[in-house]
Amino acid sequence: SQQGEEDPQALSIQEGENATMNCSYKTSINNLQWYRQNSGRGLVHLILIRSNEREKHSGRLRVTLDTSKKSSSLLITASRAADTASYFCATYNTGTASKLTFGTGTRLQVTL
Amino acid sequence: GAVVSQHPSRVICKSGTSVKIECRSLDFQATTMFWYRQFPKQSLMLMATSNEGSKATYEQGVEKDKFLINHASLTLSTLTVTSAHPEDSSFYICSARYMYGYTFGSGTRLTVV
């Protein structure tokens, strides 16, 4: 299945700084989701944004979606060391048999 | 709610043997489950979609005879890696769709020696 591209591939910041990750995708979508994965673990759902939404907030997370550019961004504000993980965007389209298509991921390292 | 339990978390097996990985939905019924494979520092690649009571749908390039999927009940799907070889070593993750989205197992690290 085609994957979206995420950038940067890796991001290292200091605690307290903001982290921004970008995701681009190729096909039309019904929604876009962001997931977090700690090393060697499963995925945890962070936030979902529908195709008719442009921005969504959840705690320290802010997600934007630009369907005309087929892109999304995830902003984590006031980062903490515990935010260190890999972050993946995933797109959903009802025409793809309920499958999620994952982006390439961004590895975030937050240092003290 | 919507918890998926995946076992084992780690397994080491000898080349040529088979390994079974289980994925159970604990508090909901999962008619559809998904199996992914993930190489180090890479994204998740969908291997197959498992449907309760019917044959799994495999993604292009995935060997059906090597990766056997069984979804015999609404709470259990299994992935069996048959005649495993070192190149099958990877991180395998299951996922289930429920009312509000998708939930993921904690993954299985398979090492074939």
Side-chain angles (χ1 to χ4, degrees):
Chain A
S1 57
Q2 291 187 332
Q3 289 185 330
E5 294 285 329
E6 288 186 58
D7 77 271
Q9 288 187 333
L11 179 61
S12 184
I13 59 174
Q14 290 191 322
E15 203 170 45
E17 294 180 335
N18 296 341
T20 299
M21 291 158 259
N22 302 295
C23 166
S24 61
Y25 56 92
K26 299 177 182 177
T27 63
S28 61
I29 62 171
N30 293 95
N31 65 62
L32 185 144
Q33 305 171 32
W34 284 89
Y35 289 85
R36 167 196 167 120
Q37 182 182 35
N38 286 76
S39 180
R41 304 290 294 173
L43 273 70
V44 174
H45 179 261
L46 294 177
I47 194 166
L48 179 152
I49 186 165
R50 293 182 172 80
S51 61
N52 61 353
E53 297 177 309
R54 292 296 168 259
E55 187 172 314
K56 203 164 183 179
H57 297 255
S58 176
R60 293 185 296 114
L61 305 180
R62 173 178 169 252
V63 170
T64 63
L65 179 64
D66 187 334
T67 53
S68 66
K69 296 181 179 178
K70 290 187 169 58
S71 67
S72 175
S73 68
L74 171 67
L75 168 67
I76 304 174
T77 61
S79 63
R80 305 166 182 168
D83 294 329
T84 296
S86 290
Y87 293 82
F88 295 93
C89 66
T91 55
Y92 175 81
N93 184 307
T94 54
T96 58
S98 300
K99 295 186 293 189
L100 289 178
T101 302
F102 283 88
T104 50
T106 294
R107 295 189 305 279
L108 173 65
Q109 175 77 44
V110 182
T111 57
L112 295 172
Chain B
V3 175
V4 166
S5 176
Q6 184 173 344
H7 291 281
S9 58
R10 290 179 177 272
V11 58
I12 301 173
C13 71
K14 292 185 177 180
S15 187
T17 62
S18 296
V19 173
K20 180 184 285 188
I21 302 170
E22 291 189 349
C23 185
R24 292 181 184 273
S25 56
L26 298 184
D27 48 5
F28 68 103
Q29 293 183 330
T31 56
T32 302
M33 288 189 175
F34 305 89
W35 287 95
Y36 295 86
R37 181 173 182 175
Q38 185 180 32
F39 290 104
K41 297 184 179 180
Q42 293 190 24
S43 187
L44 281 73
M45 296 298 297
L46 181 64
M47 299 173 65
T49 302
S50 165
N51 299 296
E52 187 268 334
S54 64
K55 291 184 178 180
T57 303
Y58 290 82
E59 295 299 301
Q60 191 173 9
V62 177
E63 297 177 62
K64 301 178 183 181
D65 295 332
K66 165 163 279 294
F67 300 101
L68 299 180
I69 292 173
N70 185 284
H71 194 159
S73 78
L74 287 171
T75 59
L76 175 64
S77 177
T78 61
L79 168 67
T80 301
V81 183
T82 63
S83 187
H85 291 284
E87 58 265 29
D88 298 323
S89 297
S90 191
F91 192 60
Y92 294 87
I93 305 175
C94 67
S95 174
R97 188 175 184 193
Y98 70 111
M99 186 184 299
Y100 299 108
Y102 297 82
T103 183
F104 289 79
S106 55
T108 297
R109 173 76 60 195
L110 170 63
T111 303
V112 185
V113 297

